[in-house]
Amino acid sequence: MNKVILMGRLTRDPDIRYSAGDNSMAVARYTLAVDRRFRREGEATADFIGCVAFGRNAEFAEKYLRQGTKIAITGRIQTGSYTNRDGQKVYTTDIVVEEQEFAESKAAAASNSGYEGTVQHQQPASRPTPSSASIGDGFMNIPDGIDEELPFN
């Protein structure tokens, strides 16, 4: 079985290209910085893993992914080789992306990157506000007697 699951941040904006021919397909290449679990001498270390996405996944990357975005991907390892201009054989290892999704909210991404240009700080009117007794864990207390109002009991 060849299955990879990674979570990390994009080191730069994805490089998007389109294949030639009648059935042109988007191809996105990006590098994920994946933190290592163990630290060396107290410093965080990361692996930089090349990823390639095709078709709809590539179009998604082009539209939504930017440098610093934290994503989770699943895919498979693919190895290959080619001969460069100097005549030397170069070996490659990439992750072919099968699924990709955001691994943090827009607000969390903005606070981690320090960039807040695209984050909207308004809450929708239909969204309930947490009660004043809520704890700082991001959850709100559910009022007593709400069981009668829920359609699924």
Side-chain angles (χ1 to χ4, degrees):
M1 178 186 297
N2 183 353
K3 182 121 179 146
V4 176
I5 301 171
L6 297 172
M7 182 166 37
R9 293 190 184 277
L10 272 73
T11 59
R12 57 183 163 74
D13 289 353
D15 177 30
I16 311 297
R17 304 207 177 167
Y18 289 87
S19 62
D22 294 335
N23 296 331
S24 180
M25 180 190 326
V27 179
R29 290 190 173 277
Y30 54 85
T31 302
L32 277 185
V34 179
D35 291 332
R36 289 186 180 174
R37 190 170 269 192
F38 301 103
R39 298 171 181 253
R40 185 179 307 164
E41 299 174 14
E43 289 186 32
T45 57
D47 292 302
F48 298 91
I49 301 171
C51 302
V52 62
F54 298 97
R56 290 185 150 220
N57 282 329
E59 292 167 5
F60 177 87
E62 178 179 30
K63 190 170 184 180
Y64 298 109
L65 301 184
R66 298 289 172 259
Q67 178 179 349
T69 304
K70 187 173 189 178
I71 62 170
I73 66 165
T74 59
R76 60 185 169 80
I77 294 177
Q78 182 171 293
T79 60
S81 65
Y82 64 92
T83 304
N84 68 11
R85 292 180 183 155
D86 299 331
Q88 297 174 328
K89 193 161 194 166
V90 177
Y91 295 94
T92 62
T93 302
D94 288 309
I95 305 302
V96 176
V97 176
E98 294 169 355
E99 295 177 26
Q100 58 194 356
E101 60 188 63
F102 295 106
E104 68 184 354
S105 68
K106 243 183 171 179
S111 67
N112 286 336
S113 69
Y115 177 71
E116 299 192 25
T118 60
V119 177
Q120 307 234 347
H121 292 285
Q122 302 178 39
Q123 288 187 351
S126 63
R127 186 174 176 186
T129 57
S131 70
S132 59
S134 68
I135 305 171
D137 60 2
F139 293 97
M140 62 185 261
N141 292 332
I142 298 174
D144 292 333
I146 198 155
D147 293 341
E148 293 82 33
E149 295 178 30
L150 295 176
F152 48 88
N153 275 339

